[in-house]
Amino acid sequence: MGPVSQLDYSNTAAPRHSYTPYETRSHSHSFRLSDDVTEVYIGGDLEPRESLRHVATTRTGIRYEMGASRDGVGIDRLWNYEHDLITSDDTVQSFLSTDGFYPFRVAPKLYVNEYFLEDQNASILAALMSSVRLLNDALPPEFQIQYMGARVDNGETIYAYPGEIVAILDSPTDVAYNCGATAVACATSTLSGDNTSLAFLRLPDDFDTSEYMHSRSVIVHELLHALGIGGHVDSIEFPDSIMGASGGYIPNLGHVISRIDREVLQIMYMSQRTDLYNDWGEWSDTTFHLVGRTEDGNLNFGVALFNGLPQPWVRGILPDTGLVDNRRLYGTATWNGNLLGFSGPSPLAGDASLQVRISTLSNPDSEHDLRFRDIYFLNRFESESSDRWFHTRNIDYKISVAGNEFVNARGEGYEQGHVTGVFLGPEHEHMGGTLKRTDMVAAFGGTR
């Protein structure tokens, strides 16, 4: 692993404790590539699109790749995006002042009206919450959307207060009245100078959630308006943007939000915390990547450090059945592998192990063991001193399994981060997931 020490990463070896606790676990979504192959994604569209340097293959068979990639859209394109929001035929729209971005100054709190909680509307609430997780994957933790539950209107007008987004589920007639006759949904905002003070999101109670990508794209579009994107962009100049004026866009395979919309959202919010992230004058199109891959291609995971924000991701092939239905497994199944992550600008690595007691899987309350061991700073892998190790060298979580997914169970250790994981490969050969803590953001994977 000699080349690792030659990478242009920070040589610091101190954990960053200033990550705000992450509000939600990573977004997870499966996408059917063909009749017999389904790909699953955790996190956003962050996998590097060019080959990185191979620096090692671990004893668990995971290939480490690292390096920098210019996969950001670039500051000029972000300026053009904003220019599109405030102009029409190169004329500034008076109602938009001189700025197309109106972010909240605080982490917005999301309330829903009580109709979202009725049984017949469960799929609409699920679509809303998965859209929130998708956007929270792009947002820095200091500005992630906080779900606060229902606000009862008692038959009267429902209110929003500064720092809030209120989602209203209403009749199609009332949505058409408030949003326009042809609108499927809409978001409206109250501004305070160049910032959003409060916002409303309106959805009809017959909202179609049968198509996963379409329903999420509608909600994400309106939530992006609520979060401060004040208009639409030219669909010819930005054909992949979900905020295109034509209403159509080139879909991003497996992902709802494109890189341009993701980066616009990030610069809006990250530039407000220049003590933690780059601002407009410093914004870079370069991402620093840590990547792990298995030889069969069914497991890929990594963390992308972009303008100071670490973002974990996982991609792989979904098994044919749920883990509980795999008749080849019995007793305790063990997956061994590795963890890769960042604490501030400092890259980390360690061992990962997941043990699942197969006979207890039919009990939804059963818990299993996820362990991370010997977490160390990559740039100090040759060090003999104690500062080689991350301040929490070993980390344990109890996880619960449902279908092919697993998350850390509520209770002891839950406050110490969010785990989102999945089993991968036709016969559950692999597992992979993301870990978001206040002192580390990481991805991990392993093989049975």
Side-chain angles (χ1 to χ4, degrees):
M1 295 180 64
V4 175
S5 62
Q6 300 170 21
L7 293 174
D8 295 329
Y9 291 121
S10 168
N11 286 317
T12 61
R16 171 178 162 178
H17 294 281
S18 56
Y19 294 133
T20 298
Y22 283 78
E23 194 63 36
T24 56
R25 62 188 181 91
S26 297
H27 178 259
S28 179
H29 171 58
S30 57
F31 188 85
R32 184 169 294 278
L33 296 178
S34 64
D35 290 340
D36 56 353
V37 177
T38 299
E39 203 158 40
V40 62
Y41 298 87
I42 299 176
D45 180 20
L46 301 162
E47 186 172 2
R49 296 177 180 175
E50 60 184 69
S51 297
L52 304 178
R53 190 190 323 174
H54 172 223
V55 295
T57 298
T58 70
R59 64 180 183 275
T60 57
I62 292 176
R63 176 186 173 96
Y64 279 179
E65 298 176 2
M66 302 179 188
S69 173
R70 297 188 65 181
D71 42 24
V73 301
I75 194 68
D76 289 342
R77 195 150 176 77
L78 296 175
W79 281 117
N80 289 345
Y81 189 108
E82 184 182 31
H83 180 75
D84 264 16
L85 295 177
I86 63 176
T87 61
S88 176
D89 298 325
D90 291 326
T91 301
V92 174
Q93 302 298 289
S94 59
F95 70 93
L96 284 176
S97 182
T98 58
D99 197 343
F101 297 148
Y102 300 91
F104 281 91
R105 296 290 292 175
V106 297
K109 292 179 170 61
L110 173 66
Y111 290 88
V112 299
N113 68 346
E114 56 189 337
Y115 301 113
F116 272 98
L117 304 187
E118 295 180 354
D119 290 344
Q120 68 270 24
N121 298 323
S123 65
I124 303 178
L125 179 61
L128 174 63
M129 294 314 300
S130 66
S131 298
V132 167
R133 287 197 299 273
L134 189 153
L135 289 171
N136 278 353
D137 273 336
L139 285 164
E142 296 79 14
F143 293 100
Q144 289 190 338
I145 301 169
Q146 304 174 16
Y147 177 62
M148 307 301 292
R151 173 167 288 163
V152 180
D153 61 14
N154 296 319
E156 301 176 356
T157 301
I158 191 167
Y159 290 98
Y161 299 93
E164 295 180 355
I165 301 172
V166 175
I168 297 176
L169 193 63
D170 218 336
S171 69
T173 301
D174 284 343
V175 170
Y177 175 79
N178 286 283
C179 300
T182 61
V184 176
C186 70
T188 55
S189 301
T190 297
L191 303 182
S192 175
D194 286 336
N195 295 101
T196 293
S197 174
L198 57 90
F200 289 94
L201 167 68
R202 296 181 184 275
L203 294 172
D205 57 17
D206 64 350
F207 185 66
D208 184 5
T209 60
S210 60
E211 293 185 5
Y212 187 98
M213 298 293 282
H214 176 70
S215 59
R216 272 64 176 178
S217 68
V218 171
I219 296 175
V220 166
H221 175 101
E222 301 304 340
L223 282 174
L224 286 173
H225 280 316
L227 287 168
I229 297 181
H232 300 93
V233 294
D234 185 345
S235 297
I236 294 176
E237 185 176 2
F238 299 98
D240 55 340
S241 174
I242 202 172
M243 306 306 290
S246 71
Y249 63 99
I250 296 175
N252 189 18
L253 186 64
H255 301 279
V256 173
I257 188 170
S258 69
R259 291 202 172 194
I260 180 67
D261 295 324
R262 181 185 190 89
E263 197 167 329
V264 162
L265 185 62
Q266 288 172 339
I267 200 169
M268 284 169 57
Y269 283 92
M270 290 164 61
S271 62
Q272 297 185 67
R273 290 297 306 269
T274 57
D275 56 327
L276 300 175
Y277 311 107
N278 289 348
D279 62 16
W280 282 88
E282 305 166 322
W283 201 256
S284 172
D285 62 0
T286 299
T287 306
F288 295 92
H289 291 281
L290 304 175
V291 177
R293 304 187 191 278
T294 55
E295 186 176 352
D296 62 9
N298 288 336
L299 167 64
N300 307 269
F301 63 94
V303 184
L305 182 65
F306 182 65
N307 284 289
L309 179 67
Q311 303 164 92
W313 57 272
V314 176
R315 177 181 63 83
I317 301 300
L318 198 66
D320 298 330
T321 66
L323 184 64
V324 70
D325 298 318
N326 188 335
R327 301 306 177 190
R328 298 184 180 183
L329 299 182
Y330 56 89
T332 298
T334 302
W335 291 258
N336 291 312
N338 302 96
L339 169 142
L340 294 169
F342 283 98
S343 181
S346 303
L348 302 168
D351 296 328
S353 175
L354 173 60
Q355 292 185 336
V356 176
R357 291 167 287 282
I358 300 300
S359 61
T360 68
L361 282 175
S362 57
N363 178 3
D365 296 325
S366 64
E367 295 182 351
H368 311 273
D369 297 308
L370 176 64
R371 301 186 178 103
F372 303 108
R373 292 289 181 267
D374 295 332
I375 303 171
Y376 66 97
F377 291 96
L378 272 175
N379 285 349
R380 299 199 174 185
F381 75 99
E382 294 176 326
S383 173
E384 299 292 336
S385 65
S386 60
D387 66 359
R388 170 187 180 184
W389 306 105
F390 187 58
H391 76 108
T392 306
R393 179 170 170 176
N394 300 320
I395 303 173
D396 293 344
Y397 288 100
K398 292 293 185 181
I399 63 109
S400 58
V401 177
N404 281 312
E405 296 189 350
F406 60 88
V407 298
N408 53 313
R410 291 189 177 273
E412 185 179 357
Y414 186 80
E415 296 80 6
Q416 299 176 11
H418 294 278
V419 172
T420 307
V422 67
F423 297 99
L424 299 165
E427 295 293 336
H428 306 90
E429 296 93 334
H430 310 295
M431 66 84 182
T434 65
L435 172 61
K436 296 179 176 180
R437 293 167 51 100
T438 58
D439 55 2
M440 178 214 314
V441 177
F444 60 90
T447 299
R448 179 167 54 81

